[in-house]
Amino acid sequence: MNDISDTTIPTGIPAGDDPIGEDRSLLIVDDDGPFLRRLARAMETRGFVVEAAESVSEGIARAKNNPPRHAVVDLRLGDGSGLDVIEAIRARRDDTRIIMLTGYGNIATAVNAVKLGAIDYLAKPADADDVYNALLQRTGERPELPENPMSADRVRWEHIQRVYEMCDRNVSETARRLNMHRRTLQRILAKRAPK
């Protein structure tokens, strides 16, 4: 499901041409163990020095002990939100290049992640090349626009997620505002975003 390619960058790059820079530290926080290990290996082959965490608490602890220059953080983790990890990183270091990575992509959380300091937002499945390119994207570069517009189901999903975020992730209040049964809303929130 999550395809992580192991393409490597060329070795022997002159110091001035190294796209990663001197500080090669990368923190990856994701509760999907196999995906985390594959992504960590793939990023190590590309020249990063990787620390991995499988929970919000572990991610925050690693960010406090050794604030990374680069970070890839999953939005939904078993013990909370990856947004808390972003805040912890930003409290210690303001130059970290952070990518929010999630299988539950929506506009509201993308905007929130960017406000907290993420530089990009990638939906799973993302491969290592996507993550690498996003981490090293230069300021001012624009990503390619998608060829296909969002489907009607996706637009509905985005609206529900936006209201959910506006209600501080309170399911009951979101259901009330959307004039929707709470259980129906919970089922929608538990599913992945439609294409």
Side-chain angles (χ1 to χ4, degrees):
M1 182 176 149
N2 295 323
D3 180 32
I4 301 295
S5 65
D6 288 324
T7 310
T8 59
I9 58 171
T11 56
I13 297 172
D17 296 337
D18 184 0
I20 298 174
E22 280 185 35
D23 189 345
R24 306 175 90 68
S25 61
L26 169 63
L27 173 62
I28 304 174
V29 184
D30 197 308
D31 59 357
D32 179 348
F35 174 79
L36 175 65
R37 288 185 289 280
R38 284 192 309 269
L39 181 59
R41 273 194 314 270
M43 299 316 282
E44 284 173 347
T45 64
R46 287 165 172 76
F48 287 97
V49 177
V50 177
E51 277 195 81
E54 292 192 38
S55 66
V56 171
S57 56
E58 191 180 349
I60 290 173
R62 291 189 187 277
K64 287 181 178 179
N65 292 336
N66 187 20
R69 174 68 177 104
H70 305 88
V72 178
V73 182
D74 192 8
L75 174 63
R76 288 193 184 181
L77 298 161
D79 62 340
S81 172
L83 297 174
D84 296 332
V85 178
I86 292 177
E87 285 183 303
I89 293 169
R90 281 291 175 241
R92 298 275 192 232
R93 188 169 181 171
D94 62 357
D95 67 337
T96 301
R97 298 184 59 82
I98 304 170
I99 305 299
M100 177 61 70
L101 184 64
T102 184
Y104 299 88
N106 66 70
I107 292 169
T109 52
V111 169
N112 202 5
V114 170
K115 284 181 181 177
L116 290 172
I119 59 166
D120 207 344
Y121 187 91
L122 297 175
K124 287 181 177 177
D127 68 20
D129 289 331
D130 293 336
V131 173
Y132 179 82
N133 291 333
L135 283 171
L136 300 182
Q137 182 177 342
R138 291 191 171 101
T139 306
E141 282 183 358
R142 296 182 182 194
E144 293 181 23
L145 295 174
E147 292 180 21
N148 300 323
M150 284 192 284
S151 68
D153 289 337
R154 181 60 186 237
V155 172
R156 176 178 179 257
W157 167 266
E158 294 288 350
H159 176 68
I160 290 169
Q161 291 294 325
R162 184 175 57 80
V163 175
Y164 183 55
E165 289 295 325
M166 285 175 28
C167 295
D168 294 323
R169 300 185 197 136
N170 181 313
V171 175
S172 297
E173 177 62 17
T174 304
R176 187 189 66 73
R177 288 190 186 187
L178 292 171
N179 197 24
M180 180 183 287
H181 194 280
R182 194 166 76 58
R183 287 186 186 162
T184 303
L185 177 60
Q186 285 175 316
R187 281 194 296 273
I188 291 169
L189 292 173
K191 294 180 181 175
R192 291 191 183 270
K195 298 282 184 200

